[in-house]
Each structure stands twice: as C-alpha cells, then as structure tokens.
PDB file of all heavy atoms in Angstrom:
ATOM      1  N   TYR A   6      23.691 -11.647   1.979  1.00 87.00           N
ATOM      2  CA  TYR A   6      22.466 -10.930   2.344  1.00 87.00           C
ATOM      3  C   TYR A   6      21.447 -11.895   2.948  1.00 87.00           C
ATOM      4  O   TYR A   6      21.050 -12.873   2.322  1.00 87.00           O
ATOM      5  CB  TYR A   6      21.842 -10.254   1.119  1.00 87.00           C
ATOM      6  CG  TYR A   6      22.711  -9.218   0.464  1.00 87.00           C
ATOM      7  CD1 TYR A   6      23.165  -9.379  -0.835  1.00 87.00           C
ATOM      8  CD2 TYR A   6      23.062  -8.064   1.152  1.00 87.00           C
ATOM      9  CE1 TYR A   6      23.950  -8.428  -1.440  1.00 87.00           C
ATOM     10  CE2 TYR A   6      23.858  -7.100   0.556  1.00 87.00           C
ATOM     11  CZ  TYR A   6      24.302  -7.285  -0.743  1.00 87.00           C
ATOM     12  OH  TYR A   6      25.081  -6.337  -1.331  1.00 87.00           O
ATOM     13  N   LYS A   7      21.006 -11.609   4.153  1.00 89.00           N
ATOM     14  CA  LYS A   7      19.955 -12.373   4.820  1.00 89.00           C
ATOM     15  C   LYS A   7      18.767 -11.425   4.999  1.00 89.00           C
ATOM     16  O   LYS A   7      18.690 -10.676   5.963  1.00 89.00           O
ATOM     17  CB  LYS A   7      20.455 -12.892   6.172  1.00 89.00           C
ATOM     18  CG  LYS A   7      19.437 -13.727   6.930  1.00 89.00           C
ATOM     19  CD  LYS A   7      19.995 -14.127   8.288  1.00 89.00           C
ATOM     20  CE  LYS A   7      18.945 -14.880   9.091  1.00 89.00           C
ATOM     21  NZ  LYS A   7      19.446 -15.189  10.462  1.00 89.00           N
ATOM     22  N   ILE A   8      17.848 -11.447   4.044  1.00 89.00           N
ATOM     23  CA  ILE A   8      16.750 -10.487   4.005  1.00 89.00           C
ATOM     24  C   ILE A   8      15.784 -10.730   5.160  1.00 89.00           C
ATOM     25  O   ILE A   8      15.166 -11.794   5.267  1.00 89.00           O
ATOM     26  CB  ILE A   8      15.989 -10.551   2.662  1.00 89.00           C
ATOM     27  CG1 ILE A   8      16.959 -10.482   1.473  1.00 89.00           C
ATOM     28  CG2 ILE A   8      14.953  -9.441   2.596  1.00 89.00           C
ATOM     29  CD1 ILE A   8      17.710  -9.196   1.369  1.00 89.00           C
ATOM     30  N   GLU A   9      15.657  -9.735   6.045  1.00 88.00           N
ATOM     31  CA  GLU A   9      14.755  -9.842   7.191  1.00 88.00           C
ATOM     32  C   GLU A   9      13.360  -9.320   6.874  1.00 88.00           C
ATOM     33  O   GLU A   9      12.390  -9.665   7.546  1.00 88.00           O
ATOM     34  CB  GLU A   9      15.329  -9.055   8.376  1.00 88.00           C
ATOM     35  CG  GLU A   9      16.657  -9.578   8.889  1.00 88.00           C
ATOM     36  CD  GLU A   9      16.529 -10.910   9.615  1.00 88.00           C
ATOM     37  OE1 GLU A   9      15.401 -11.249  10.038  1.00 88.00           O
ATOM     38  OE2 GLU A   9      17.539 -11.609   9.745  1.00 88.00           O
ATOM     39  N   GLY A  10      13.251  -8.473   5.861  1.00 86.00           N
ATOM     40  CA  GLY A  10      11.963  -7.890   5.506  1.00 86.00           C
ATOM     41  C   GLY A  10      12.174  -6.592   4.754  1.00 86.00           C
ATOM     42  O   GLY A  10      13.293  -6.252   4.365  1.00 86.00           O
ATOM     43  N   PHE A  11      11.082  -5.870   4.536  1.00 87.00           N
ATOM     44  CA  PHE A  11      11.191  -4.590   3.847  1.00 87.00           C
ATOM     45  C   PHE A  11      10.263  -3.577   4.510  1.00 87.00           C
ATOM     46  O   PHE A  11       9.311  -3.927   5.211  1.00 87.00           O
ATOM     47  CB  PHE A  11      10.849  -4.739   2.362  1.00 87.00           C
ATOM     48  CG  PHE A  11       9.378  -4.901   2.075  1.00 87.00           C
ATOM     49  CD1 PHE A  11       8.592  -3.821   1.722  1.00 87.00           C
ATOM     50  CD2 PHE A  11       8.777  -6.153   2.146  1.00 87.00           C
ATOM     51  CE1 PHE A  11       7.238  -3.961   1.450  1.00 87.00           C
ATOM     52  CE2 PHE A  11       7.418  -6.319   1.868  1.00 87.00           C
ATOM     53  CZ  PHE A  11       6.644  -5.220   1.526  1.00 87.00           C
ATOM     54  N   ILE A  12      10.598  -2.306   4.297  1.00 86.00           N
ATOM     55  CA  ILE A  12       9.720  -1.228   4.741  1.00 86.00           C
ATOM     56  C   ILE A  12       9.463  -0.318   3.550  1.00 86.00           C
ATOM     57  O   ILE A  12      10.282  -0.246   2.624  1.00 86.00           O
ATOM     58  CB  ILE A  12      10.314  -0.425   5.921  1.00 86.00           C
ATOM     59  CG1 ILE A  12      11.622   0.256   5.536  1.00 86.00           C
ATOM     60  CG2 ILE A  12      10.521  -1.314   7.131  1.00 86.00           C
ATOM     61  CD1 ILE A  12      12.177   1.131   6.630  1.00 86.00           C
ATOM     62  N   THR A  13       8.345   0.359   3.582  1.00 83.00           N
ATOM     63  CA  THR A  13       7.953   1.196   2.456  1.00 83.00           C
ATOM     64  C   THR A  13       8.227   2.666   2.747  1.00 83.00           C
ATOM     65  O   THR A  13       8.209   3.094   3.900  1.00 83.00           O
ATOM     66  CB  THR A  13       6.461   1.019   2.132  1.00 83.00           C
ATOM     67  OG1 THR A  13       5.687   1.428   3.270  1.00 83.00           O
ATOM     68  CG2 THR A  13       6.158  -0.432   1.812  1.00 83.00           C
ATOM     69  N   VAL A  14       8.459   3.415   1.687  1.00 82.00           N
ATOM     70  CA  VAL A  14       8.711   4.852   1.809  1.00 82.00           C
ATOM     71  C   VAL A  14       7.402   5.630   1.815  1.00 82.00           C
ATOM     72  O   VAL A  14       7.221   6.567   2.592  1.00 82.00           O
ATOM     73  CB  VAL A  14       9.613   5.343   0.653  1.00 82.00           C
ATOM     74  CG1 VAL A  14       9.702   6.860   0.648  1.00 82.00           C
ATOM     75  CG2 VAL A  14      11.001   4.732   0.792  1.00 82.00           C
ATOM     76  N   ASN A  15       6.471   5.223   0.965  1.00 70.00           N
ATOM     77  CA  ASN A  15       5.220   5.969   0.820  1.00 70.00           C
ATOM     78  C   ASN A  15       4.089   5.436   1.694  1.00 70.00           C
ATOM     79  O   ASN A  15       2.974   5.939   1.657  1.00 70.00           O
ATOM     80  CB  ASN A  15       4.774   5.985  -0.647  1.00 70.00           C
ATOM     81  CG  ASN A  15       4.802   4.585  -1.260  1.00 70.00           C
ATOM     82  OD1 ASN A  15       4.682   3.587  -0.549  1.00 70.00           O
ATOM     83  ND2 ASN A  15       4.981   4.531  -2.568  1.00 70.00           N
ATOM     84  N   GLY A  16       4.358   4.392   2.468  1.00 64.00           N
ATOM     85  CA  GLY A  16       3.346   3.875   3.375  1.00 64.00           C
ATOM     86  C   GLY A  16       2.415   2.851   2.767  1.00 64.00           C
ATOM     87  O   GLY A  16       1.631   2.213   3.473  1.00 64.00           O
ATOM     88  N   ASP A  17       2.459   2.662   1.451  1.00 61.00           N
ATOM     89  CA  ASP A  17       1.589   1.688   0.793  1.00 61.00           C
ATOM     90  C   ASP A  17       2.178   0.285   0.908  1.00 61.00           C
ATOM     91  O   ASP A  17       3.386   0.087   0.830  1.00 61.00           O
ATOM     92  CB  ASP A  17       1.430   2.039  -0.695  1.00 61.00           C
ATOM     93  CG  ASP A  17       0.765   3.391  -0.876  1.00 61.00           C
ATOM     94  OD1 ASP A  17      -0.019   3.772   0.017  1.00 61.00           O
ATOM     95  OD2 ASP A  17       1.037   4.048  -1.903  1.00 61.00           O
ATOM     96  N   LYS A  18       1.323  -0.690   1.085  1.00 58.00           N
ATOM     97  CA  LYS A  18       1.775  -2.076   1.106  1.00 58.00           C
ATOM     98  C   LYS A  18       2.095  -2.531  -0.312  1.00 58.00           C
ATOM     99  O   LYS A  18       1.408  -2.169  -1.256  1.00 58.00           O
ATOM    100  CB  LYS A  18       0.710  -2.980   1.712  1.00 58.00           C
ATOM    101  CG  LYS A  18       0.521  -2.782   3.208  1.00 58.00           C
ATOM    102  CD  LYS A  18      -0.419  -3.826   3.774  1.00 58.00           C
ATOM    103  CE  LYS A  18      -0.523  -3.684   5.294  1.00 58.00           C
ATOM    104  NZ  LYS A  18      -1.433  -4.702   5.873  1.00 58.00           N
ATOM    105  N   GLN A  19       3.141  -3.323  -0.439  1.00 58.00           N
ATOM    106  CA  GLN A  19       3.545  -3.812  -1.746  1.00 58.00           C
ATOM    107  C   GLN A  19       3.272  -5.317  -1.777  1.00 58.00           C
ATOM    108  O   GLN A  19       4.082  -6.120  -1.325  1.00 58.00           O
ATOM    109  CB  GLN A  19       5.002  -3.491  -2.009  1.00 58.00           C
ATOM    110  CG  GLN A  19       5.283  -1.983  -1.881  1.00 58.00           C
ATOM    111  CD  GLN A  19       6.709  -1.620  -2.207  1.00 58.00           C
ATOM    112  OE1 GLN A  19       7.315  -2.245  -3.064  1.00 58.00           O
ATOM    113  NE2 GLN A  19       7.226  -0.606  -1.538  1.00 58.00           N
ATOM    114  N   ASN A  20       2.099  -5.674  -2.280  1.00 65.00           N
ATOM    115  CA  ASN A  20       1.617  -7.049  -2.190  1.00 65.00           C
ATOM    116  C   ASN A  20       2.549  -8.045  -2.851  1.00 65.00           C
ATOM    117  O   ASN A  20       2.724  -9.158  -2.360  1.00 65.00           O
ATOM    118  CB  ASN A  20       0.222  -7.152  -2.813  1.00 65.00           C
ATOM    119  CG  ASN A  20      -0.806  -6.330  -2.033  1.00 65.00           C
ATOM    120  OD1 ASN A  20      -0.700  -6.214  -0.824  1.00 65.00           O
ATOM    121  ND2 ASN A  20      -1.769  -5.755  -2.731  1.00 65.00           N
ATOM    122  N   GLU A  21       3.134  -7.666  -3.974  1.00 75.00           N
ATOM    123  CA  GLU A  21       3.993  -8.597  -4.695  1.00 75.00           C
ATOM    124  C   GLU A  21       5.230  -8.968  -3.877  1.00 75.00           C
ATOM    125  O   GLU A  21       5.615 -10.127  -3.804  1.00 75.00           O
ATOM    126  CB  GLU A  21       4.409  -7.974  -6.034  1.00 75.00           C
ATOM    127  CG  GLU A  21       5.133  -8.920  -6.978  1.00 75.00           C
ATOM    128  CD  GLU A  21       4.258 -10.079  -7.433  1.00 75.00           C
ATOM    129  OE1 GLU A  21       3.024  -9.898  -7.530  1.00 75.00           O
ATOM    130  OE2 GLU A  21       4.830 -11.162  -7.681  1.00 75.00           O
ATOM    131  N   LEU A  22       5.861  -7.970  -3.261  1.00 80.00           N
ATOM    132  CA  LEU A  22       7.046  -8.227  -2.455  1.00 80.00           C
ATOM    133  C   LEU A  22       6.687  -8.964  -1.170  1.00 80.00           C
ATOM    134  O   LEU A  22       7.474  -9.751  -0.642  1.00 80.00           O
ATOM    135  CB  LEU A  22       7.767  -6.912  -2.135  1.00 80.00           C
ATOM    136  CG  LEU A  22       9.165  -7.005  -1.518  1.00 80.00           C
ATOM    137  CD1 LEU A  22      10.095  -7.833  -2.400  1.00 80.00           C
ATOM    138  CD2 LEU A  22       9.747  -5.619  -1.302  1.00 80.00           C
ATOM    139  N   GLU A  23       5.469  -8.728  -0.661  1.00 82.00           N
ATOM    140  CA  GLU A  23       5.026  -9.398   0.568  1.00 82.00           C
ATOM    141  C   GLU A  23       4.865 -10.900   0.383  1.00 82.00           C
ATOM    142  O   GLU A  23       4.813 -11.650   1.360  1.00 82.00           O
ATOM    143  CB  GLU A  23       3.704  -8.798   1.055  1.00 82.00           C
ATOM    144  CG  GLU A  23       3.888  -7.533   1.868  1.00 82.00           C
ATOM    145  CD  GLU A  23       2.602  -7.112   2.556  1.00 82.00           C
ATOM    146  OE1 GLU A  23       1.646  -6.765   1.845  1.00 82.00           O
ATOM    147  OE2 GLU A  23       2.572  -7.141   3.801  1.00 82.00           O
ATOM    148  N   LYS A  24       4.792 -11.345  -0.840  1.00 82.00           N
ATOM    149  CA  LYS A  24       4.708 -12.782  -1.088  1.00 82.00           C
ATOM    150  C   LYS A  24       6.013 -13.480  -0.738  1.00 82.00           C
ATOM    151  O   LYS A  24       6.044 -14.690  -0.513  1.00 82.00           O
ATOM    152  CB  LYS A  24       4.368 -13.039  -2.562  1.00 82.00           C
ATOM    153  CG  LYS A  24       2.980 -12.560  -2.978  1.00 82.00           C
ATOM    154  CD  LYS A  24       2.760 -12.806  -4.449  1.00 82.00           C
ATOM    155  CE  LYS A  24       1.383 -12.299  -4.901  1.00 82.00           C
ATOM    156  NZ  LYS A  24       1.169 -12.506  -6.362  1.00 82.00           N
ATOM    157  N   HIS A  25       7.095 -12.696  -0.700  1.00 84.00           N
ATOM    158  CA  HIS A  25       8.424 -13.271  -0.472  1.00 84.00           C
ATOM    159  C   HIS A  25       8.964 -12.960   0.925  1.00 84.00           C
ATOM    160  O   HIS A  25       9.555 -13.832   1.576  1.00 84.00           O
ATOM    161  CB  HIS A  25       9.407 -12.747  -1.520  1.00 84.00           C
ATOM    162  CG  HIS A  25       8.964 -12.947  -2.934  1.00 84.00           C
ATOM    163  ND1 HIS A  25       9.010 -14.181  -3.556  1.00 84.00           N
ATOM    164  CD2 HIS A  25       8.448 -12.080  -3.842  1.00 84.00           C
ATOM    165  CE1 HIS A  25       8.568 -14.065  -4.794  1.00 84.00           C
ATOM    166  NE2 HIS A  25       8.213 -12.786  -4.997  1.00 84.00           N
ATOM    167  N   ILE A  26       8.810 -11.716   1.357  1.00 85.00           N
ATOM    168  CA  ILE A  26       9.359 -11.288   2.655  1.00 85.00           C
ATOM    169  C   ILE A  26       8.332 -10.419   3.367  1.00 85.00           C
ATOM    170  O   ILE A  26       7.492  -9.788   2.720  1.00 85.00           O
ATOM    171  CB  ILE A  26      10.686 -10.509   2.475  1.00 85.00           C
ATOM    172  CG1 ILE A  26      10.517  -9.367   1.468  1.00 85.00           C
ATOM    173  CG2 ILE A  26      11.819 -11.432   2.081  1.00 85.00           C
ATOM    174  CD1 ILE A  26      11.749  -8.513   1.292  1.00 85.00           C
ATOM    175  N   PRO A  27       8.381 -10.368   4.694  1.00 85.00           N
ATOM    176  CA  PRO A  27       7.369  -9.595   5.430  1.00 85.00           C
ATOM    177  C   PRO A  27       7.571  -8.088   5.310  1.00 85.00           C
ATOM    178  O   PRO A  27       8.695  -7.603   5.206  1.00 85.00           O
ATOM    179  CB  PRO A  27       7.579 -10.050   6.877  1.00 85.00           C
ATOM    180  CG  PRO A  27       9.006 -10.494   6.938  1.00 85.00           C
ATOM    181  CD  PRO A  27       9.291 -11.093   5.586  1.00 85.00           C
ATOM    182  N   CYS A  28       6.463  -7.359   5.323  1.00 83.00           N
ATOM    183  CA  CYS A  28       6.500  -5.905   5.371  1.00 83.00           C
ATOM    184  C   CYS A  28       6.541  -5.490   6.841  1.00 83.00           C
ATOM    185  O   CYS A  28       5.655  -5.825   7.627  1.00 83.00           O
ATOM    186  CB  CYS A  28       5.274  -5.315   4.677  1.00 83.00           C
ATOM    187  SG  CYS A  28       5.227  -3.508   4.735  1.00 83.00           S
ATOM    188  N   LEU A  29       7.586  -4.769   7.222  1.00 83.00           N
ATOM    189  CA  LEU A  29       7.791  -4.402   8.630  1.00 83.00           C
ATOM    190  C   LEU A  29       7.158  -3.068   8.991  1.00 83.00           C
ATOM    191  O   LEU A  29       7.080  -2.724  10.175  1.00 83.00           O
ATOM    192  CB  LEU A  29       9.285  -4.372   8.943  1.00 83.00           C
ATOM    193  CG  LEU A  29      10.056  -5.675   8.671  1.00 83.00           C
ATOM    194  CD1 LEU A  29      11.534  -5.479   8.934  1.00 83.00           C
ATOM    195  CD2 LEU A  29       9.504  -6.819   9.526  1.00 83.00           C
ATOM    196  N   GLY A  30       6.741  -2.296   8.001  1.00 80.00           N
ATOM    197  CA  GLY A  30       6.139  -0.999   8.303  1.00 80.00           C
ATOM    198  C   GLY A  30       6.603   0.058   7.325  1.00 80.00           C
ATOM    199  O   GLY A  30       6.887  -0.237   6.161  1.00 80.00           O
ATOM    200  N   ASN A  31       6.708   1.302   7.813  1.00 79.00           N
ATOM    201  CA  ASN A  31       7.112   2.398   6.933  1.00 79.00           C
ATOM    202  C   ASN A  31       8.375   3.076   7.447  1.00 79.00           C
ATOM    203  O   ASN A  31       8.901   2.742   8.509  1.00 79.00           O
ATOM    204  CB  ASN A  31       5.978   3.414   6.767  1.00 79.00           C
ATOM    205  CG  ASN A  31       5.489   3.945   8.106  1.00 79.00           C
ATOM    206  OD1 ASN A  31       6.274   4.411   8.926  1.00 79.00           O
ATOM    207  ND2 ASN A  31       4.187   3.856   8.344  1.00 79.00           N
ATOM    208  N   ILE A  32       8.809   4.060   6.679  1.00 80.00           N
ATOM    209  CA  ILE A  32      10.112   4.693   6.896  1.00 80.00           C
ATOM    210  C   ILE A  32      10.207   5.435   8.221  1.00 80.00           C
ATOM    211  O   ILE A  32      11.308   5.648   8.743  1.00 80.00           O
ATOM    212  CB  ILE A  32      10.416   5.657   5.725  1.00 80.00           C
ATOM    213  CG1 ILE A  32      11.906   6.038   5.699  1.00 80.00           C
ATOM    214  CG2 ILE A  32       9.541   6.893   5.789  1.00 80.00           C
ATOM    215  CD1 ILE A  32      12.793   4.912   5.337  1.00 80.00           C
ATOM    216  N   GLU A  33       9.088   5.820   8.801  1.00 78.00           N
ATOM    217  CA  GLU A  33       9.095   6.615  10.031  1.00 78.00           C
ATOM    218  C   GLU A  33       9.731   5.860  11.199  1.00 78.00           C
ATOM    219  O   GLU A  33      10.253   6.469  12.122  1.00 78.00           O
ATOM    220  CB  GLU A  33       7.673   7.036  10.393  1.00 78.00           C
ATOM    221  CG  GLU A  33       7.057   8.016   9.392  1.00 78.00           C
ATOM    222  CD  GLU A  33       5.631   8.360   9.747  1.00 78.00           C
ATOM    223  OE1 GLU A  33       5.132   7.814  10.764  1.00 78.00           O
ATOM    224  OE2 GLU A  33       5.014   9.166   9.020  1.00 78.00           O
TER     225      GLU A  33
END
C-alpha cells in the first residue's frame, strides 16, 4: 500500500488523519 491521501464522505476535514496524509477532497 502506497497511501496517496484520503477523501471524506461527509465533507468534514479530519485533522488527525491530515497530520499523516493529505486530504484530497470529498466523495463527489
């Protein structure tokens, strides 16, 4: 697994996870 980032389902930013990998946006 080479984690490129994460996206959220509910649109809210997840600050804790953002400390490790970038937030790319939302599910849309």
Side-chain angles (χ1 to χ4, degrees):
Y6 298 117
K7 181 183 176 184
I8 310 296
E9 297 289 341
F11 75 96
I12 62 176
T13 62
V14 171
N15 49 26
D17 298 332
K18 290 187 176 180
Q19 304 183 34
N20 296 327
E21 189 64 30
L22 191 56
E23 277 191 295
K24 294 178 181 179
H25 306 285
I26 52 177
C28 178
L29 303 176
N31 55 52
I32 196 69
E33 293 177 359

